[in-house]
């Protein structure tokens, strides 16, 4: 019984002219809804800048000492032994 009443009410309430007037507005509303809920494109990762190379003393090669011909070591005269550990 309820189904019959609902189908009669639906048939009487439908106005074809009203539906034709609302179609563009409904289409615009659906398009706007899709545009606002569309997933955003993930940003592309930026390449990492090159890491700076530490300054290396030319005389000791960054060791902080110089090995002499007889095998003994002395602090580097250029960097004062501060380049190495």
């Amino acid at each position: 019984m309820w189904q019959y009443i609902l189908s009669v009410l639906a048939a009487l309430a439908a106005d074809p002219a009203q539906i034709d007037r609302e179609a563009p507005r409904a289409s615009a509303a659906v398009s706007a809804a899709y545009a606002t809920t569309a997933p955003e494109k993930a940003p592309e990762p930026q390449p990492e800048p090159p890491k700076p190379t530490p300054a290396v003393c030319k005389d000791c090669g960054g060791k902080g000492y110089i090995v002499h011909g007889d095998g003994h070591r002395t602090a580097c005269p250029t960097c004062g032994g501060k380049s190495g550990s």
Side-chain angles (χ1 to χ4, degrees), residues 1-52:
M1 181 73 174
W2 283 104
Q3 292 176 350
Y4 174 73
I5 294 173
L6 287 177
S7 63
V8 169
L9 287 175
L12 294 176
D15 180 17
Q18 179 70 20
I19 293 172
D20 289 340
R21 286 192 305 266
E22 293 293 325
R25 184 174 170 194
S27 177
V30 169
S31 296
Y34 276 123
T36 58
T37 59
E40 293 183 16
K41 187 176 182 182
E44 294 185 20
Q46 298 293 326
E48 292 186 26
K51 295 181 181 177

